[in-house]
Amino acid sequence: MFVYPKQYDVVVIGAGHAGIEAAMAASRQGCETLMLTQNLDSVGQMSCNPAIGGQAKGQMVREIDALGGVMGINTDATSIQFRMLNSGKGPSVRSPRAQCDKKAYQFRAKAILERQPRLDLKQGNVTKILTEDGRACGIETNLGLRVLGRAVVVTTGTFMRGLLHVGLQNQAGGRMGDGFSTLSDSLRELGFEVGRFKTGTPCRLNGRTIDFSRCARQEGDQPPLPFSYVPEELREEKHDIFTLNHWRDGVFHVEQLPCWITSTNTRTHDLIRANLDKSPLYAGRIEGVGPRYCPSIEDKVVRFAEKNSHQIFLEPEGRHTEEYYVNGVSTSLPMEVQYAFIRSIPGLENAEIMRPGYAVEYDYCPPTQLHPTLETKRVPRLYFAGQINGTSGYEEAGAQGLMAGANAALNLLGKQGLVLSRADAYIGVLIDDLVTKGTPEPYRMFTSRAEHRLHLRQDNADLRLTPIAHRYGLVDGCRWEKLQEKLARLAQLREFSNQTQFEGVKISQWLRRPEFTYGGLPAELRAGFADALWDAVQIELKYAGYIARQELAIEKLRRSEEKLLPTHLDYQAISGLRAETRQKLSSVRPATFGQAARISGVTPADLALLSVFLEKR
């Protein structure tokens, strides 16, 4: 047994999107941090869709950026197409999305980590969590290497006892071409409950064999809207060999590539139905629960039998590759069936499959075993983030990684943990849902999950979260100064709108009209203020009544969150509580009265009894 001579403050297991944000957040706090991964050539790999953002996910990426994370700025530097989803709808559901150059994103992420002070990267397959006096104190690898650390963050993705399925054949692995991890055996030994989930990915096609003339072309937005709030003068893309896009003179320059749209048909569906007996999902070979909101093409054909077609998006994987991601046909059918049904789709009649689609089963730990800081309840200073908590998606993983890494560092520094409420951020909604309600299937974020989504818009994440990030030391002084400048400019624009008239009417009154946008103002009136500032002020004015109503609800939520529950409260001692309520409260151990109210199955009557009991105490 070899004990590595350097002892770390924080050890991060895994180098996917959760691991990247966790390691960066911990090292930014001043902690000596180690990132361990099975393969240093796959740091930041986009295992599934080479895209960042989407409905509600785009809001989370902007929140990650506002908190000092790297996902947004790395996306801006390596994307090949930008689109604002739901741009014709209200501001609460508008969500940015970007198609990335898969390899550029991955290589640039690794370069960021390698250049980060107080952060080391090493290759190793972690098999055991070490503990001392009940606390996490390091890790052990399959080669007998022990590394000591004062806190450990686990971000293992789909690798814990990963099992890949193509048809009725399977092989061990967390991703096609990679190995797997037995770390979940160690977690079981520590007393953690472990479950089983499943996800999948589509095949990849050779673009030279696609007939794009039979597909609809989908262009990116012009001008493209970047994810990151970091201003031009603070970015370093021009010095980075992995950067595709750049800022110059206040303009974001991107050479965008098109995506393409086609669809399945009745012939496609007949082929799939005829071969369901060869699907591991329908043959009973897969025990894990799959994602409801990202179903396989087999599930779509069976569950939506009345539909004759499903839309398919052909998305380029990068500027320097001919591979195309076939968004919409995640599958685990045998190779010969994939080949047949792909060639039944218009434009793909002669398509060649470069990589088959497959399903992957993996172990996860039900997230009700966590505190809101993402520290485990069973083992202090051990944190979980990403798919180990039952989520799906790069964005959900990155958000959890940032919070887990930040809280691991804050814990070691003797500071209060960072917990975002449901009114602060989508990240707060995500974590509260996980630790309070758990998840019976892979969790995906949607705008509908947030009660205050008009407040949690993609355009104001920096205003909401950068002050919090500055308070906790997650962003530097330059970003804080730029936010202060932005707030000053917003105040100036509000005053200008209230004092300046257009056609005899105050601009602020014009901006309140449903049919009017600031683009209808003469150029000389709009000059001096960026479009993003005009957007923010117009949203404030147009939706003032709704925003005021949400602020009242947010204040009510905050009052309930201020009512703390004792850490070791004996719920069995509260007379009148139903057995189910006692069991759920004892299992989740809510930190606040508000969190208790959100536990599934806990009724208003239960809460009244709990309140009376606390008042008597």
Side-chain angles (χ1 to χ4, degrees):
M1 187 69 63
F2 172 58
V3 179
Y4 194 71
K6 180 177 179 179
Q7 181 170 342
Y8 290 90
D9 296 315
V10 179
V11 176
V12 177
I13 304 171
H17 303 279
I20 290 170
E21 299 295 351
M24 291 293 290
S27 59
R28 284 200 306 274
Q29 295 274 3
C31 288
E32 288 295 328
T33 305
L34 170 66
M35 171 184 275
L36 269 166
T37 179
Q38 289 186 13
N39 185 357
L40 281 173
D41 293 328
S42 58
V43 171
Q45 184 159 320
M46 306 180 95
S47 305
C48 197
N49 192 352
I52 294 292
Q55 185 185 14
K57 293 169 174 279
Q59 280 90 326
M60 279 196 295
V61 178
R62 303 209 91 191
E63 290 176 351
I64 290 170
D65 183 77
L67 290 166
V70 301
M71 181 175 278
I73 200 165
N74 201 41
T75 300
D76 290 348
T78 60
S79 286
I80 54 181
Q81 190 188 93
F82 288 82
R83 297 187 69 233
M84 180 64 72
L85 306 185
N86 299 324
S87 58
K89 298 182 179 179
S92 63
V93 295
R94 295 172 196 161
S95 305
R97 182 183 186 272
Q99 195 74 20
C100 292
D101 185 301
K102 183 175 184 175
K103 286 300 178 184
Y105 185 98
Q106 177 184 339
F107 293 151
R108 191 176 185 280
K110 184 168 183 276
I112 290 171
L113 294 165
E114 289 173 336
R115 299 169 189 179
Q116 174 70 8
R118 295 179 293 278
L119 175 59
D120 293 343
L121 275 69
K122 297 189 184 299
Q123 186 163 294
N125 188 335
V126 178
T127 57
K128 187 175 183 179
I129 303 294
L130 304 178
T131 61
E132 184 177 14
D133 297 328
R135 290 183 172 185
C137 67
I139 59 88
E140 183 178 310
T141 75
N142 62 338
L143 298 180
L145 170 67
R146 287 193 167 189
V147 182
L148 302 182
R150 298 165 60 209
V152 177
V153 183
V154 182
T155 68
T156 45
T158 60
F159 283 81
M160 292 201 307
R161 288 183 60 234
L163 186 64
L164 309 175
H165 296 268
V166 179
L168 302 183
Q169 298 183 357
N170 58 59
Q171 66 184 61
R175 180 170 52 214
M176 191 68 78
D178 282 328
F180 68 102
S181 168
T182 60
L183 184 61
S184 51
D185 295 336
S186 175
L187 297 177
R188 283 191 181 89
E189 290 173 5
L190 290 171
F192 288 97
E193 179 187 351
V194 178
R196 197 82 168 145
F197 273 170
K198 164 257 177 189
T199 189
T201 190
C203 57
R204 273 64 160 180
L205 304 181
N206 186 334
R208 293 189 298 125
T209 64
I210 298 173
D211 182 0
F212 292 110
S213 68
R214 302 202 61 196
C215 307
R217 187 181 178 105
Q218 184 185 56
E219 300 284 2
D221 290 345
Q222 289 292 353
L225 177 67
F227 273 99
S228 180
Y229 293 99
V230 176
E232 174 189 358
E233 60 269 30
L234 297 183
R235 297 184 184 233
E236 298 181 356
E237 286 98 338
K238 59 187 176 183
H239 305 300
D240 199 320
I241 61 173
F242 303 117
T243 296
L244 304 176
N245 310 319
H246 61 278
W247 284 81
R248 187 172 63 245
D249 301 327
V251 179
F252 187 41
H253 296 271
V254 183
E255 183 184 340
Q256 300 196 68
L257 300 182
C259 295
W260 304 85
I261 303 173
T262 182
S263 59
T264 62
N265 50 54
T266 54
R267 183 174 165 229
T268 313
H269 298 185
D270 289 343
L271 281 166
I272 292 168
R273 288 192 191 96
N275 289 281
L276 285 176
D277 60 320
K278 301 173 186 174
S279 164
L281 186 64
Y282 286 88
R285 298 290 186 92
I286 293 178
E287 61 182 83
V289 179
R292 177 193 305 264
Y293 301 107
C294 188
S296 66
I297 188 64
E298 299 97 285
D299 269 345
K300 288 180 183 178
V301 168
V302 172
R303 286 163 50 188
F304 307 105
E306 73 283 359
K307 297 195 69 172
N308 293 322
S309 68
H310 294 283
Q311 204 168 51
I312 304 296
F313 295 87
L314 305 175
E315 300 171 334
E317 295 219 327
R319 294 196 191 282
H320 306 293
T321 178
E322 291 297 330
E323 282 194 68
Y324 273 75
Y325 179 91
V326 192
N327 192 339
V329 293
S330 173
T331 184
S332 57
L333 285 164
M335 185 66 180
E336 66 272 15
V337 181
Q338 293 186 40
Y339 189 84
F341 82 67
I342 281 292
R343 288 197 162 199
S344 71
I345 297 171
L348 307 183
E349 292 87 350
N350 298 304
E352 289 291 339
I353 295 177
M354 297 180 71
R355 306 179 200 236
Y358 62 90
V360 56
E361 285 185 278
Y362 56 95
D363 285 348
Y364 82 104
C365 294
T368 51
Q369 300 173 98
L370 303 174
H371 294 294
T373 58
L374 298 182
E375 183 180 24
T376 66
K377 297 173 181 175
R378 186 170 293 276
V379 180
R381 293 190 178 176
L382 178 63
Y383 295 77
F384 293 166
Q387 284 180 280
I388 189 175
N389 290 338
T391 59
S392 65
Y394 309 144
E395 302 82 4
E396 289 88 345
Q400 293 171 72
L402 188 151
M403 299 298 288
N407 279 315
L410 290 166
N411 187 337
L412 299 181
L413 295 169
K415 297 181 179 179
Q416 182 181 1
L418 171 57
V419 176
L420 299 175
S421 79
R422 302 180 72 89
D424 290 326
Y426 272 94
I427 296 174
V429 175
L430 165 70
I431 294 175
D432 184 68
D433 278 352
L434 293 174
V435 304
T436 304
K437 304 173 185 176
T439 181
E441 59 194 27
Y443 180 103
R444 179 180 179 179
M445 180 54 73
F446 292 101
T447 53
S448 58
R449 294 191 189 272
E451 304 91 329
H452 312 296
R453 55 186 174 271
L454 184 55
H455 175 63
L456 306 181
R457 304 188 307 275
Q458 59 83 26
D459 63 276
N460 68 356
D462 59 336
L463 306 181
R464 290 185 278 116
L465 297 178
T466 298
I468 297 174
H470 180 254
R471 192 161 66 246
Y472 281 88
L474 288 169
V475 296
D476 58 26
C478 293
R479 287 194 65 160
W480 178 244
E481 289 171 11
K482 290 297 177 184
L483 179 65
Q484 299 309 303
E485 291 175 12
K486 180 177 179 178
L487 290 169
R489 295 293 287 164
L490 274 170
Q492 290 172 7
L493 180 53
R494 292 186 189 104
E495 185 177 359
F496 174 79
S497 300
N498 279 320
Q499 293 182 354
T500 308
Q501 293 193 343
F502 171 56
E503 296 183 352
V505 179
K506 287 182 180 179
I507 289 178
S508 58
Q509 292 177 287
W510 277 106
L511 294 177
R512 285 189 178 93
R513 298 183 179 184
E515 73 283 359
F516 189 83
T517 68
Y518 61 85
L521 294 170
E524 61 270 17
L525 287 179
R526 289 187 283 116
F529 295 102
D531 286 354
L533 298 180
W534 280 105
D535 276 335
V537 171
Q538 182 156 34
I539 288 169
E540 286 178 7
L541 293 168
K542 275 190 175 180
Y543 298 91
Y546 297 102
I547 292 172
R549 197 179 306 165
Q550 284 207 352
E551 286 174 349
L552 290 174
I554 289 169
E555 181 56 34
K556 183 178 179 181
L557 171 66
R558 287 201 169 120
R559 286 199 300 271
S560 72
E561 297 299 338
E562 288 170 359
K563 192 172 182 179
L564 301 178
L565 294 175
T567 306
H568 301 293
L569 180 60
D570 182 8
Y571 293 101
Q572 305 300 324
I574 304 177
S575 60
L577 279 184
R578 296 171 301 128
E580 177 191 6
T581 302
R582 287 196 181 100
Q583 186 273 325
K584 289 188 173 181
L585 290 171
S586 298
S587 173
V588 175
R589 305 216 64 84
T592 67
F593 195 83
Q595 186 184 2
R598 294 190 293 275
I599 297 174
S600 175
V602 174
T603 67
D606 295 327
L607 296 172
L609 288 169
L610 177 59
S611 181
V612 169
F613 180 83
L614 292 173
E615 286 172 7
K616 285 182 178 178
R617 286 190 53 174

